[in-house]
Amino acid sequence: MAFNGHQRNDEGIDEDETPTKQPRSDKEKPDCFVHEPNNEASVSAGRATSDRRTSNSTSRLRSDSVKKTRPPFPWFGMDIGGTLVKLVYFEPKDITAEEEQEEVENLKSIRRYLTSNIAYGKTGIRDVHLELPDLTLCGRTGNLHFIRFPTHDLPAFLQMGRNKHFSSLHTTLCATGGGAYKFESDFRTMADLQLHKLDELDCLIRGVLYIDSVVSSGPSECYYFENPTDPDLCAQKPYTLENPYPLLLVNIGSGVSILAVYSENNYKRVTGTSLGGGTFLGLCCLLTGCSTFEEALEMASQGESTRVDKLVRDIYGGNYERFGLPGWAVASSYGNMMSKEKRESVSKEDLARATLVTITNNIGSITRMCALNENIERVVFVGNFLRVNTLSMKLLAYAMDYWSKGQLKALFLQHEGYFGAVGALLELLHPS
């Protein structure tokens, strides 16, 4: 049994008092990303001058070591999924006059192109609202940009890289996702680039933990919905991922992978499902004639899934009280479409809404069973299926809380679909 996508006002959500987010300790961050404190600030007034010189010398040696090990600009990380390509780009803001004079024109051209536009062609988008300014990576300060485009437009991206002579700056690009394997030969033949292929689940976890550790201002990276089905009382609340383990990480892309994470280096893939974001968009294209994810979501927001789905009350005339099943729960997705009369009365918007509810309910049901089997109470949902998709997020939030009787809380992250690309960037800068 599942939820019908209706807004429910009669079921309350237990409120949690969420602690204020505290920055994760430097011990948990890779050395390359820790902002080194000023050693002299911790030297007591009575410390000898020679000790201060030793401290300064050690800092210079450490700084020189970082300079020698960090790669040349530009710094990219890439996640090539089945539906979307996600790209993160670090834009240095502390370029010295000497560096600027020595900088080759190809590098300047790439930086200008990526940072002066918010759209690239017809389908490439830079998510400006996700940009992380004044971030310190490997001793350099700059802005981290988040860019996405459909995977079917990858040839245009490769041609752009060729036109801007990217291979004269880098011969290898760190990439993760299935497309890093599928399109490896295209990178080599079309852009003269080698791919350093990385495991997508390793990158996902590394990216999640890193982004959560560095976001200290603005909206909290992690959040949950309070009263998710009540339009008047629903509120997005911050949640800290301090001491996050164990957690269930549900990555919803074209398909779905569910991971049980016990530490940064100890996790397992519990299960998954082929019914994910790609299924939602594919079915909506077939049923409604839409062509984009945004169009499908817009249609779903205007539809009514109960005209398409058969509910418990359609079978029992009300609640199934013996097993505590409410009448508004979905008994059969698309069950009403067996009737010719009902098929003729539904709209494309209704079909889109029912498709969204069906996919989301299936993900929620599998996630809850995994949480019970693994004895994990913290569930984090990520992936581009959730991008601008508050309908599914609120449905997942309510389902997790309702069916677990308050034991499970659905958590979400601001940079939902970019963690794999972030993990690839971290591997470029600080190989594991």
Side-chain angles (χ1 to χ4, degrees):
M1 297 298 172
F3 290 96
N4 62 25
H6 259 309
Q7 292 175 336
R8 297 278 304 160
N9 297 323
D10 55 342
E11 301 290 346
I13 301 273
D14 292 336
E15 295 185 9
D16 275 1
E17 184 177 337
T18 304
T20 303
K21 180 178 178 64
Q22 298 293 328
R24 195 166 290 153
S25 68
D26 287 346
K27 291 180 180 179
E28 298 181 48
K29 302 179 188 177
D31 294 342
C32 196
F33 310 109
V34 175
H35 177 67
E36 293 291 345
N38 185 343
N39 289 324
E40 293 186 8
S42 62
V43 178
S44 64
R47 185 73 60 87
T49 303
S50 60
D51 290 340
R52 289 198 297 270
R53 288 174 178 166
T54 301
S55 177
N56 290 334
S57 175
T58 302
S59 294
R60 284 194 298 272
L61 288 172
R62 186 184 293 114
S63 178
D64 290 342
S65 175
V66 170
K67 288 179 181 178
K68 290 178 181 178
T69 58
R70 65 190 177 205
F73 289 123
W75 294 350
F76 287 101
M78 200 171 192
D79 180 3
I80 311 172
T83 305
L84 282 177
V85 176
K86 287 77 65 178
L87 185 74
V88 294
Y89 166 64
F90 180 78
E91 173 200 9
K93 302 297 288 185
D94 58 354
I95 298 175
T96 64
E98 181 181 1
E99 285 178 318
E100 188 169 7
Q101 188 174 8
E102 295 176 354
E103 200 172 52
V104 297
E105 186 56 38
N106 292 348
L107 183 55
K108 293 178 182 178
S109 174
I110 290 173
R111 184 166 65 244
R112 282 195 301 266
Y113 178 72
L114 292 177
T115 59
S116 63
N117 295 291
I118 59 173
Y120 313 94
K122 294 182 179 179
T123 57
I125 298 292
R126 178 162 61 92
D127 285 316
V128 180
H129 66 288
L130 296 179
E131 180 181 328
L132 295 179
D134 302 322
L135 197 66
T136 299
L137 290 177
C138 283
R140 300 304 299 261
T141 300
N143 302 334
L144 195 59
H145 298 276
F146 299 85
I147 300 167
R148 56 182 163 84
F149 58 89
T151 304
H152 60 71
D153 284 336
L154 185 61
F157 169 81
L158 295 177
Q159 185 60 51
M160 184 272 290
R162 186 181 186 91
N163 293 342
K164 293 189 178 296
H165 307 287
F166 186 87
S167 62
S168 67
L169 304 170
H170 274 298
T171 57
T172 302
L173 186 65
C174 284
T176 188
Y181 296 85
K182 180 178 180 180
F183 301 109
E184 182 178 16
S185 62
D186 293 332
F187 275 83
R188 188 167 53 249
T189 58
M190 294 179 65
D192 196 23
L193 286 170
Q194 299 293 326
L195 289 184
H196 178 37
K197 302 185 294 296
L198 303 164
D199 181 81
E200 62 180 302
L201 301 183
D202 286 341
C203 288
L204 171 67
I205 293 172
R206 195 173 182 185
V208 167
L209 297 177
Y210 175 71
I211 291 294
D212 181 68
S213 73
V214 298
V215 174
S216 57
S217 61
S220 172
E221 177 64 26
C222 186
Y223 62 94
Y224 69 98
F225 287 99
E226 189 177 83
N227 302 314
T229 59
D230 188 326
D232 296 321
L233 297 178
C234 179
Q236 183 175 310
K237 299 286 188 178
Y239 188 92
T240 179
L241 271 183
E242 193 74 18
N243 300 317
Y245 310 111
L247 65 84
L248 206 65
L249 189 61
V250 185
N251 187 27
I252 314 174
S254 299
V256 182
S257 283
I258 301 178
L259 311 177
V261 184
Y262 302 101
S263 72
E264 183 175 1
N265 300 310
N266 180 16
Y267 70 88
K268 64 180 180 180
R269 185 180 186 274
V270 179
T271 189
T273 172
S274 62
L275 306 182
T279 315
F280 165 67
L281 180 55
L283 285 175
C284 280
C285 290
L286 283 172
L287 295 171
T288 72
C290 72
S291 57
T292 68
F293 183 69
E294 289 78 9
E295 187 181 353
L297 283 181
E298 177 61 26
M299 295 179 76
S301 70
Q302 300 174 18
E304 177 53 78
S305 61
T306 57
R307 297 192 184 109
V308 179
D309 298 334
K310 190 179 290 292
L311 309 183
V312 169
R313 64 170 175 252
D314 296 328
I315 299 173
Y316 283 88
N319 300 335
Y320 188 3
E321 295 181 355
R322 180 183 177 188
F323 293 105
L325 294 175
W328 47 261
V330 178
S332 175
S333 298
Y334 294 92
N336 282 338
M337 296 300 91
M338 293 182 288
S339 163
K340 181 181 179 182
E341 179 182 351
K342 291 185 176 179
R343 284 200 303 271
E344 293 174 345
S345 67
V346 299
S347 66
K348 291 181 178 180
E349 289 78 10
D350 296 335
L351 291 170
R353 181 62 166 254
T355 304
L356 185 70
V357 170
T358 297
I359 297 300
T360 305
N361 277 337
N362 183 64
I363 294 170
S365 176
I366 294 173
T367 298
R368 179 173 173 268
M369 287 188 289
C370 289
L372 288 174
N373 289 339
E374 298 297 323
N375 195 28
I376 295 176
E377 296 181 357
R378 185 183 286 114
V379 181
V380 180
F381 292 92
V382 298
N384 266 298
F385 175 67
L386 300 177
R387 179 174 54 83
V388 299
N389 187 1
T390 54
L391 285 173
S392 286
M393 286 191 281
K394 291 177 181 179
L395 189 59
L396 286 169
Y398 187 65
M400 290 294 100
D401 184 88
Y402 182 86
W403 293 116
S404 70
K405 295 180 172 59
Q407 294 300 305
L408 293 177
K409 183 183 292 294
L411 303 174
F412 306 95
L413 300 172
Q414 301 285 352
H415 291 82
E416 59 261 312
Y418 284 103
F419 297 111
V422 171
L425 174 65
L426 298 185
E427 181 65 21
L428 168 70
L429 302 177
H430 189 83
S432 57

